[in-house]
Structures are given as structure tokens and as C-alpha cells.
Amino acid sequence: PYFGYARQDRKAKGRDPISAKLVANMIEAAGADRVLTMDLHAAQIQGFFDIPVDNLLSNPIFVKYYMSKFEHPEEMVVVSPDVGSVARSRTFANKMGMNLAIVDKRREKANQCEVMNVIGDVEGKKCILFDTAGSLCNAAKAIVEIGGATEVYACATHGVLSGPANERIADSCIKELTFLNTIPPLEGACSKIKYLDVSPIFADAIQRIYEENSMSVLF
């Protein structure tokens, strides 16, 4: 459910390996004839394989969860923590019937970023951030301090939580951070972190594959 080398999908600088392609080759060499995964870092990684790839989306799970959690979701705002996540955030916002805002930031070095501006109206609103955990804490701070948001909720598909991520989340202004259990839940995770189960959607997908039924309804 989590393709671990998906971020290494291109040469960012000289001598960088394209590890996502290597792992794709290894999976095929091991004898796999189909791959089922969720929310690849870049959708074009599906083209690294010479076998069918089904890239399931997390949107339906998060939409169902937040629609049942909030009484008036249409009064909230979905926030993309960076420009690169705008397309996914816009799809999520459209399904939720919410407006979209964007945090404009400049990354100074790997795993660190400097927030610059908030594009869109979040003043006095409850917001849902949609991205990876590393970007969420800085973005949450920006939309509260710069944008004037009242509450910040966040969600991301894969809870990698590398380095000091757990501590950063605990100290952040995020009220609740929701992950899917595509990666085993972190032991000792802070009380703000909640996990949703992906097994039903994967079970449905596997059954559809074996019965040769359409997968379109899952997207």
C-alpha cells in the first residue's frame, strides 16, 4: 500500500539514482504480474512498470470521514500546504464542497521549508490541510498566524513520521492529524494523530481484480 521509494523518481542533481525505477524492476523480476498501491508520490511512476498498476486514491476515505465529522463542512476551507499539492487538494475540496487556499513557501533545504504567504481567505475559518506531515506543521502555523484561521485539521495518506515529526506535530497548532494505516501506526504517536483503516478499499480492489470487474468505481 506504500511505495517506499516513490520520492526518488527523477535525477534532482548529478549522480542521483532513480530508485523508484529500480524497485519497479525488482518487483517485476521477483515475479509479480500486477501492482496495487495507494497515492503514489507521483502518478507517472505507474509508467516505471511493464505490468498493470492500480494506484488507489485516499480521497474517498477522507471525504467520508470529514463529511461525518463536521456538521457544516461547506463553511470550511481546504488548504494546500504547497503549490505542488494544489491538484490533489482541489480534487478533495471539490468533493467536500469547500473553497481552496494555498500556502506559498520556499524550501531552503531538504525536509525544511520557509513559509512565505497564504493565498486565499482562511480568516475565521476552520481549515483542513492536505499533504505530507513534513509540510503540515509550518503550513498550519502560517494559516493561523498569517491567515487568521480558527482551527486547523490535517490529513495525509502515509504517516512516515521520520525524525522529529511526532514531536513537531505534538507542539503544533494542528488540532487533529489523520493518517491512513498504509504504514503501520507509530508506537507512541501523540494524541493528535488518528489512523483510518484502508483494508476495506484494498479488499474491494483485490476482489474486483480477481473477478475481472471494473476498478473505476474506486476512483
Side-chain angles (χ1 to χ4, degrees):
Y2 172 60
F3 189 69
Y5 287 86
R7 292 175 65 91
Q8 197 66 50
D9 61 343
R10 67 194 184 283
K11 282 184 175 291
K13 59 182 184 294
R15 297 181 180 272
D16 268 2
I18 306 179
S19 303
K21 173 58 177 172
L22 172 62
V23 174
N25 289 344
M26 293 172 66
I27 290 172
E28 292 183 35
D33 56 19
R34 189 160 184 160
V35 171
L36 181 61
T37 186
M38 177 170 278
D39 276 1
L40 287 168
H41 177 67
Q44 60 264 29
I45 290 174
Q46 297 171 85
F48 288 2
F49 292 86
D50 293 322
I51 56 178
V53 178
D54 298 291
N55 182 35
L56 300 178
L57 304 178
S58 62
N59 265 338
I61 300 174
F62 287 126
V63 168
K64 182 179 179 181
Y65 173 70
Y66 285 118
M67 290 295 281
S68 63
K69 181 178 180 67
F70 298 111
E71 187 175 352
H72 300 290
E74 69 279 357
E75 298 176 0
M76 301 175 66
V77 179
V78 172
V79 181
S80 173
D82 55 41
V83 176
S85 300
V86 169
R88 285 181 297 173
S89 298
R90 182 180 291 114
T91 300
F92 180 61
N94 288 340
K95 291 187 176 183
M96 292 290 293
M98 298 179 181
N99 290 325
L100 178 68
I102 303 167
V103 175
D104 176 34
K105 70 182 183 184
R106 181 173 60 214
R107 189 179 298 275
E108 299 295 334
K109 59 178 69 174
N111 295 325
Q112 294 185 18
C113 60
E114 179 184 354
V115 172
M116 302 299 292
N117 197 14
V118 178
I119 304 170
D121 181 19
V122 299
E123 187 173 359
K125 303 287 183 67
K126 293 181 180 180
C127 299
I128 300 177
L129 280 164
F130 190 85
D131 196 43
T132 56
S135 303
L136 292 175
C137 294
N138 290 322
K141 183 178 179 181
I143 62 177
V144 170
E145 296 183 357
I146 300 175
T150 56
E151 289 183 2
V152 180
Y153 297 83
C155 60
T157 307
H158 309 297
V160 178
L161 297 175
S162 59
N166 190 40
E167 290 76 16
R168 287 177 181 169
I169 293 164
D171 296 336
S172 73
C173 58
I174 295 173
K175 189 168 184 178
E176 180 187 84
L177 172 55
T178 306
F179 289 124
L180 303 184
N181 61 349
T182 51
I183 296 175
L186 177 71
E187 292 186 13
C190 74
S191 59
K192 294 182 179 182
I193 296 176
K194 178 184 178 67
Y195 288 91
L196 302 180
D197 187 21
V198 296
S199 59
I201 192 170
F202 273 94
D204 191 2
I206 292 169
Q207 184 172 8
R208 288 177 178 277
I209 290 170
Y210 275 90
E211 293 178 354
E212 298 185 354
N213 292 326
S214 172
M215 297 281 286
S216 299
V217 69
L218 300 180
F219 302 104

